[in-house]
């Protein structure tokens, strides 16, 4: 089954806004068994949109068109759909009544330009919009079921959930539910990770993929739900090979994973940050990690091994973990420290010129590396520096 999406609008085509609707739809459809096979974008050109609708309807089984249903002069998706289908537009009186009621509830008078939002192609099925004035509609062109949806995310997501998905399941039942196993790694690049997993024998029809978003790499094993047992067996091999680089599994995030471990083991964190300038605190706070205290000391603050001793937990040392990221020492060194109730870990690392020349990138790397130290200790594993661009000079 070929499932496609067509996003519309100059603002999307020219990169003025991020197409979050496309990301959400791809994930939602995948989980429902409708894996996206193609996606494209058309600007605010009637002729281009008509041509694109005709072209994609000859390829796709399902096409979701997003945007261009507003009341302004550059919103002409309904007109394009009618032209592509060779029919006229008709005013849907049922939806026009809903538009008038929408404005009445807000004590506003409906402008005449909103009338066009009730115009849909002849023979199209109107799809109500529970969050706005732009109705959607379903139209069959060639052998393709096309769903036309509004652009605002709150309207789009509600329409997909309440209107599109039920019709999709009836008209085009998903052949089989899909399964995607994911894990996120840190410390090595995509090519290294791929080379480590290159010899794994995959079940028939199962694919192994990668998504690099420096400084992390996501590994994905994709197949059918019916293959879960075979995929899980293969997944265990992947996890063993990725053991030292593994941050977390699934769609969560590393900070949330650490927060769960801290709360389960009743630990709290004390943070001292130099070069990371509060980014570690912000990342963990966003995940509601239990923080006892946090201090930001500045990018250039010197914090040698002896100085770290002054930052031992100032509360109950049996329940506090102290994490420290120093400032940049002598222009090319960083120290990362972890003090636990039982042991003190201090790693001095040299930083390459390419990293010191990219402060934001180095900050992100240091924050993940610091969290990695905490995670390794909480899970009973070897506490170590893993990022290949941080070369150990000394450790105690």
């Amino acid at each position: 089954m070929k499932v496609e999406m067509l996003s519309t609008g100059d603002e999307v085509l020219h990169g003025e806004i991020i197409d979050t609707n496309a990301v959400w739809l791809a994930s939602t459809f995948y989980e429902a068994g409708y894996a996206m096979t193609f996606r494209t974008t058309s600007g605010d050109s009637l002729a281009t949109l008509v041509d694109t609708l005709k072209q994609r309807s000859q390829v796709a089984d399902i096409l979701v068109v997003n945007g261009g249903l507003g009341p302004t002069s550059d919103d002409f998706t309904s007109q394009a759909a009618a032209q592509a289908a060779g029919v006229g537009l008709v005013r849907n009186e049922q939806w026009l009544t809903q538009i008038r009621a929408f404005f009445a509830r807000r004590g506003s008078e409906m402008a005449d330009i909103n009338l066009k939002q009730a115009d849909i192609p002849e023979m199209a099925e109107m799809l109500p919009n529970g969050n706005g004035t732009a109705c959607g509609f379903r139209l069959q062109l060639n052998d393709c079921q096309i769903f036309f949806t509004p652009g605002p995310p709150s309207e789009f997501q509600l329409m997909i959930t309440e209107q599109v998905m039920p019709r999709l399941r009836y008209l085009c039942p998903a052949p089989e539910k899909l399964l995607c196993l994911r894990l996120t790694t840190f410390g090595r690049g995509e090519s290294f990770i791929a080379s480590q997993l290159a010899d794994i024998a995959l079940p028939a029809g199962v694919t192994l993929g990668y998504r690099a978003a420096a400084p992390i790499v996501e590994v994905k094993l994709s197949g059918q739900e019916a293959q879960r047992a075979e995929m899980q067996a293969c997944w265990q091999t992947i996890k063993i090979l990725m053991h030292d680089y593994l941050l977390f599994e699934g769609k969560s995030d590393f900070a949330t994973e650490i927060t769960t471990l801290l709360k389960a083991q009743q630990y709290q964190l004390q943070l001292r940050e130099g070069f990371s300038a509060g980014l570690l605190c912000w990342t963990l706070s966003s995940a509601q990690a239990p923080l006892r205290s946090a201090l930001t000391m500045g990018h250039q603050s010197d914090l040698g091994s002896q100085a770290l001793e002054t930052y031992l937990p100032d509360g109950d040392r049996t329940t506090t973990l102290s994490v420290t990221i120093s400032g940049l020492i002598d222009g090319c060194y960083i120290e990362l420290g972890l003090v636990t109730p039982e042991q003190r870990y201090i790693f001095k690392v040299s930083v390459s010129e390419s990293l010191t020349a990219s402060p934001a990138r180095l900050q992100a790397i240091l924050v993940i590396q610091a969290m990695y130290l905490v995670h390794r200790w909480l899970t009973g594993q070897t506490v170590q520096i893993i990022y290949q661009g941080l070369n150990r000079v000394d450790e105690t």
Side-chain angles (χ1 to χ4, degrees):
M1 185 180 299
K2 296 180 180 179
V3 182
E4 301 189 4
M5 181 179 184
L6 169 59
S7 301
T8 69
D10 285 346
E11 68 279 10
V12 180
L13 183 63
H14 299 155
E16 296 172 14
I17 64 172
I18 297 173
D19 192 355
T20 57
N21 284 347
V23 176
W24 180 86
L25 183 67
S27 176
T28 300
F29 268 19
Y30 188 92
E31 291 177 359
Y34 299 95
M36 198 81 73
T37 56
F38 184 83
R39 194 177 84 198
T40 190
T41 303
S42 171
D44 293 322
S45 165
L46 178 59
T48 300
L49 187 52
V50 171
D51 288 344
T52 304
L53 288 171
K54 289 180 178 179
Q55 179 191 51
R56 300 321 307 171
S57 68
Q58 294 176 16
V59 177
D61 299 300
I62 300 165
L63 175 63
V64 175
V65 181
N66 185 228
L69 299 179
T72 58
S73 60
D74 59 347
D75 291 311
F76 37 65
T77 295
S78 296
Q79 182 181 351
Q83 289 189 20
V87 300
L89 288 170
V90 295
R91 184 148 293 168
N92 187 284
E93 295 297 330
Q94 177 187 356
W95 185 248
L96 181 57
T97 299
Q98 294 297 318
I99 298 176
R100 295 188 190 279
F102 179 92
F103 284 100
R105 287 193 299 270
R106 287 159 177 76
S108 302
E109 184 176 349
M110 188 185 82
D112 288 343
I113 62 172
N114 289 104
L115 289 170
K116 67 178 288 189
Q117 292 187 289
D119 295 342
I120 64 175
E122 295 176 27
M123 307 304 292
E125 178 191 11
M126 189 270 289
L127 304 179
N129 182 345
N131 279 336
T133 58
C135 73
F137 55 92
R138 177 184 66 84
L139 180 70
Q140 182 169 337
L141 183 59
N142 297 314
D143 292 324
C144 180
Q145 293 290 338
I146 310 180
F147 297 89
F148 294 82
T149 60
S154 63
E155 300 178 32
F156 172 70
Q157 293 180 17
L158 185 64
M159 187 172 291
I160 291 294
T161 303
E162 294 188 350
Q163 305 299 330
V164 175
M165 289 304 301
R167 289 167 173 80
L168 203 54
R169 294 189 184 100
Y170 175 75
L171 295 167
C172 308
E176 194 169 352
K177 191 172 182 181
L178 303 173
L179 175 64
C180 183
L181 304 177
R182 308 166 186 264
L183 62 80
T184 298
T185 67
F186 171 73
R188 296 294 187 273
E190 182 180 17
S191 59
F192 175 89
I193 297 297
S195 68
Q196 298 300 298
L197 304 179
D199 296 331
I200 290 181
L202 300 176
V206 173
T207 60
L208 183 61
Y210 308 89
R211 182 182 67 85
I216 63 173
V217 176
E218 183 182 58
V219 179
K220 299 182 293 182
L221 189 67
S222 303
Q224 303 289 337
E225 175 65 36
Q227 299 173 290
R228 179 178 287 273
E230 295 174 272
M231 290 175 65
Q232 287 288 1
C234 183
W235 194 241
Q236 293 307 311
T237 302
I238 291 174
K239 290 201 296 183
I240 290 172
L241 292 172
M242 293 293 100
H243 179 264
D244 284 342
Y245 314 105
L246 176 60
L247 296 184
F248 60 91
E249 290 187 69
K251 288 186 175 182
S252 183
D253 62 80
F254 199 30
T256 299
E257 179 89 0
I258 291 172
T259 296
T260 300
L261 290 169
L262 287 168
K263 291 180 177 179
Q265 299 180 40
Q266 298 184 331
Y267 285 109
Q268 57 189 343
L269 292 174
Q270 176 175 271
L271 309 178
R272 299 293 183 265
E273 296 186 68
F275 195 86
S276 52
L279 182 58
L280 177 61
C281 177
W282 181 86
T283 302
L284 290 167
S285 295
S286 297
Q288 299 182 328
L291 302 182
R292 180 178 182 83
S293 64
L295 174 66
T296 301
M297 300 169 291
H299 283 207
Q300 302 300 324
S301 57
D302 255 12
L303 192 63
S305 301
Q306 294 181 349
L308 276 170
E309 299 284 3
T310 64
Y311 293 103
L312 293 173
D314 55 12
D316 186 348
R317 299 191 181 194
T318 63
T319 60
T320 303
L321 306 180
S322 182
V323 183
T324 305
I325 300 173
S326 77
L328 195 61
I329 303 169
D330 297 330
C332 62
Y333 298 106
I334 294 282
E335 285 195 334
L336 295 101
L338 170 64
V339 179
T340 73
E342 294 88 16
Q343 193 169 349
R344 179 187 73 134
Y345 303 88
I346 298 173
F347 301 93
K348 185 175 183 179
V349 297
S350 63
V351 183
S352 66
E353 289 186 13
S354 62
L355 283 181
T356 56
S358 303
R361 180 185 171 203
L362 179 55
Q363 285 177 327
I365 291 168
L366 291 173
V367 165
I368 297 178
Q369 177 63 75
M371 291 195 296
Y372 176 89
L373 300 180
V374 175
H375 184 267
R376 297 283 287 191
W377 187 82
L378 288 171
T379 53
Q381 302 179 75
T382 302
V383 177
Q384 60 185 341
I385 298 295
I386 197 65
Y387 190 76
Q388 61 183 351
L390 303 177
N391 302 305
R392 283 190 311 199
V393 175
D394 188 23
E395 70 176 277
T396 59

